[in-house]
Amino acid sequence: MAYVLNCFQSQTLFHKALKEAFEVVCNKDAAGCTSAELFASYCDSILRKGESKKFSDEAIEENLDKVVKLLTYVSDKDLFIEFHRKKLGRRLLFDKSGNDEQERSLLSKLKQNFGGQFTSKMEGMLNDICVAKDNQTKYDKYISTNPELHPSVDLSVQVLTTGYWPTYKSSDINLPSEMVKCVEVFKEFYQSITKHRKINWIFSLGSCNILGKFDAKLIELILTTYQGALLLLFNEAEKLSFSEIATQLNLSEDDTARVLHSLSCGKYKILNKEPCSRTISPNDIFKFNRKFTDKMRRIKV
């Protein structure tokens, strides 16, 4: 730009040449990824909790400005929006977003440059998270004023508007009774504040904290909802086969294998399996590993 302005007296011909050249460069794939995907990943890396601390607020703003400037040369802006929306969804749902203000700042820059239809869904996502926090406060109050309803398990729920968010995989997993009570109580609460909305539960994105009573000590396990539901089956049974677990949870074989692998073949072997191997097969038998221990009192599996 400095060359165009100074050496070529800001001639329109050179402005045009620069614009066309940048369009060629910005629409090339790099390392098998489109520019749209790379820009979305870059935004994700600087807006993420932890990562964002490496930059000052001014540096983040400056970098976001640069991304938006370069996006003007990208022909498939819709693709960037799709990638960005998915990454934004994960940041918001798993509390990985560094700063709400910076998220909104990027959206306002995109809106300013490319129009409101580009950002309306993502603005809706940010608003949903704010509303979810208010709902959580109301739910906690509802439970404290109706102690007979208390499900004996602390629960937090994020209610999202279907149209704004990316679609997430869901399955009708058979939840343990402790979790079923939570779901019922929340449904009752939600119907008391809104009459015309139907709730679909996406348990595949949930997480739970469960206490593991091992021989050596109690360890708090931070798990996905699927992992938690599976481990709680071992409160009722000494050993379970792969097919028994899949049937009791009402999970597909692929999902069951994935969850069992994380609990018996990963870093933390909460379950022992027979035969002992690194892969899961439909003939395997699983047992709760009472001998498991770790130096930490709280681990994320």
Side-chain angles (χ1 to χ4, degrees):
M1 189 51 88
Y3 285 131
V4 170
L5 297 176
N6 305 326
C7 304
F8 299 113
Q9 283 91 47
S10 197
Q11 273 205 5
T12 51
L13 192 66
F14 286 96
H15 273 290
K16 187 168 175 275
L18 181 75
K19 179 177 176 288
E20 285 171 0
F22 259 87
E23 278 172 358
V24 172
V25 172
C26 287
N27 286 296
K28 279 187 174 178
D29 289 1
C33 294
T34 62
S35 300
E37 188 176 350
L38 292 169
F39 284 138
S41 297
Y42 179 68
C43 290
D44 185 53
S45 72
I46 61 172
L47 290 170
R48 220 165 231 282
K49 200 182 268 183
E51 291 298 315
S52 58
K53 285 180 186 162
K54 295 175 186 172
F55 302 93
S56 66
D57 288 352
E58 293 74 28
I60 288 176
E61 283 299 314
E62 197 181 308
N63 282 320
L64 293 177
D65 277 332
K66 287 177 181 174
V67 168
V68 174
K69 201 174 191 176
L70 288 171
L71 271 175
T72 57
Y73 300 106
V74 172
S75 55
D76 206 348
K77 295 177 185 61
D78 287 349
L79 198 59
F80 166 80
I81 290 299
E82 216 34 58
F83 281 120
H84 183 60
R85 192 161 70 106
K86 280 185 178 159
K87 290 178 187 296
L88 172 66
R90 295 198 81 77
R91 285 199 298 279
L92 295 177
L93 292 178
F94 298 115
D95 196 23
K96 292 276 191 274
S97 177
N99 183 318
D100 201 41
E101 288 307 307
Q102 285 161 354
E103 297 283 7
R104 289 186 186 278
S105 167
L106 175 58
L107 292 187
S108 74
K109 293 179 204 297
L110 291 168
K111 189 175 186 173
Q112 219 173 332
N113 282 271
F114 310 120
Q117 81 282 1
F118 251 65
T119 55
S120 59
K121 285 184 177 179
M122 292 183 286
E123 285 166 348
M125 288 162 74
L126 286 167
N127 292 339
D128 271 356
I129 294 297
C130 293
V131 173
K133 284 174 184 162
D134 290 345
N135 277 345
Q136 188 61 38
T137 311
K138 287 178 191 167
Y139 172 73
D140 293 339
K141 197 174 171 189
Y142 176 80
I143 289 296
S144 63
T145 51
N146 299 288
E148 76 288 352
L149 287 176
H150 200 295
S152 77
V153 175
D154 291 331
L155 171 75
S156 72
V157 177
Q158 288 167 317
V159 181
L160 315 173
T161 312
T162 311
Y164 296 150
W165 294 76
T167 33
Y168 297 112
K169 186 185 169 198
S170 186
S171 73
D172 291 329
I173 183 174
N174 286 337
L175 292 176
S177 56
E178 299 91 334
M179 293 183 186
V180 171
K181 178 89 193 285
C182 287
V183 168
E184 294 307 325
V185 172
F186 188 85
K187 268 186 190 167
E188 220 168 287
F189 153 73
Y190 198 66
Q191 271 156 4
S192 73
I193 60 169
T194 174
K195 293 279 182 282
H196 310 293
R197 288 184 155 197
K198 181 176 179 288
I199 292 186
N200 288 321
W201 293 81
I202 301 176
F203 299 117
S204 56
L205 292 177
S207 65
C208 58
N209 294 20
I210 285 179
L211 282 177
K213 293 182 178 177
F214 301 99
D215 288 349
K217 62 178 180 183
L218 270 182
I219 298 177
E220 187 179 342
L221 308 171
I222 303 166
L223 307 156
T224 66
T225 304
Y226 284 10
Q227 288 172 327
L230 193 152
L231 277 186
L232 288 173
L233 296 177
F234 289 89
N235 280 344
E236 309 296 326
E238 192 59 37
K239 54 164 73 173
L240 289 165
S241 68
F242 179 96
S243 57
E244 284 171 333
I245 290 168
T247 307
Q248 286 189 43
L249 289 179
N250 190 30
L251 269 185
S252 69
E253 284 202 357
D254 283 355
D255 283 339
T256 306
R258 199 176 299 118
V259 180
L260 281 168
H261 190 278
S262 68
L263 294 167
S264 62
C265 304
K267 182 182 175 185
Y268 303 114
K269 293 179 174 55
I270 313 297
L271 295 177
N272 287 329
K273 80 178 200 71
E274 298 162 10
C276 187
S277 65
R278 301 286 298 158
T279 55
I280 303 291
S281 86
N283 303 318
D284 291 347
I285 304 289
F286 297 87
K287 270 175 123 172
F288 180 61
N289 179 12
R290 293 179 184 285
K291 299 278 184 285
F292 174 80
T293 189
D294 193 82
K295 59 179 184 290
M296 307 296 283
R297 292 205 163 273
R298 197 166 187 246
I299 56 174
K300 186 174 185 177
V301 181

